[in-house]
Amino acid sequence: MYGANLDFMDPELLLERFRPLMRREYDELVELGWFEDEPIELLRGMLVTMTPQGGDHSDVGAWLAHRFAAALPIEQFDVRSHSPFAATDDSEPEPDVQVSRKPKPRGSHPTTALLIVEVSRSSLRKDRKIKLPIYAENGVPEYWIVDLVKRVVEIYTQPEGETYVRVEHVDITGTLRPMLLPDIAIPMAELPWDDTTS
């Protein structure tokens, strides 16, 4: 009978019964062909649907990836866009941009990064509340959230536990200077912001 016993819907009971998917298991399923053409990522043991990208989201992410790739020696640095990052045992996000040092084992996902960038419009809450602790726990030294609405980049540095000690905001008049990539300076005004939403 419908509604007779809905105890299984109680959030506390759901948490008790929740069995997280580990990153190793997730990778094995991917290798077996599961999740093909599904825009998902593994966050804290759960399969999370990735937010569809608007035009400005993809433009800004691609522009930053190209900017880093053009400025950094390919034999020393690896620049990836929308690729898996083996962050923790239960999380494998796919950040908009990641910059890491070479080499890494062939056939594996990067486990460390110098810089992670997430471009955000509707995903801002997820990038702050879920992904930030994951990147901090991994020890990613610098994490950027590009807020497309406010045209501000939130820069998080000094990871400690599941948070970052230092937070800086760079607005449209400022310049982005990655902490561990000192030869790069990106004026905020040069990013391909969507003029139709300003």
Side-chain angles (χ1 to χ4, degrees), residues 4-177:
N5 184 358
L6 298 180
D7 287 344
F8 68 92
M9 294 297 290
D10 184 285
E12 291 184 6
L13 291 178
L14 284 175
L15 286 176
E16 287 179 7
R17 299 176 183 184
F18 173 69
R19 191 279 199 187
L21 184 66
M22 304 309 288
R23 179 168 55 81
R24 175 184 51 79
E25 298 167 324
Y26 173 69
D27 286 342
E28 289 175 357
L29 291 172
V30 170
E31 288 294 321
L32 290 172
W34 288 54
F35 319 125
E36 283 189 16
D37 302 320
E38 289 188 60
I40 59 172
E41 55 191 341
L42 181 69
L43 302 177
R44 294 303 188 205
M46 295 182 287
L47 299 178
V48 179
T49 302
M50 290 189 282
T51 307
Q53 293 185 23
D56 57 344
H57 184 141
S58 57
D59 286 348
V60 170
W63 189 93
L64 284 169
H66 287 306
R67 178 71 175 78
F68 289 128
L72 297 170
I74 193 171
E75 66 275 5
Q76 297 178 32
F77 296 94
D78 187 18
V79 179
R80 296 179 176 226
S81 182
H82 307 293
S83 294
F85 176 63
T88 64
D89 287 341
D90 64 357
S91 298
E92 190 172 284
E94 296 192 12
D96 289 299
V97 183
Q98 57 181 299
V99 181
S100 58
R101 290 193 187 277
K102 288 184 175 179
K104 73 167 188 65
R106 288 186 179 275
S108 65
H109 303 311
T111 57
T112 61
L114 300 174
L115 172 67
I116 294 283
V117 181
E118 296 285 3
V119 181
S120 301
R121 183 177 288 280
S122 59
S123 64
L124 194 57
R125 180 175 172 81
K126 179 172 69 174
D127 293 336
R128 286 178 180 153
K129 299 295 185 181
I130 300 176
K131 289 191 173 184
L132 184 149
I134 292 171
Y135 295 139
E137 182 182 332
N138 173 273
V140 174
E142 186 167 5
Y143 173 42
W144 294 359
I145 298 178
V146 181
D147 184 338
L148 294 172
V149 176
K150 295 183 178 179
R151 298 192 178 188
V152 168
V153 176
E154 302 172 7
I155 299 177
Y156 298 87
T157 54
Q158 298 179 25
E160 188 173 291
E162 293 187 354
T163 190
Y164 284 88
V165 174
R166 182 179 171 86
V167 184
E168 178 187 358
H169 293 79
V170 179
D171 65 19
I172 196 68
T173 65
T175 300
L176 299 168
R177 302 178 188 277

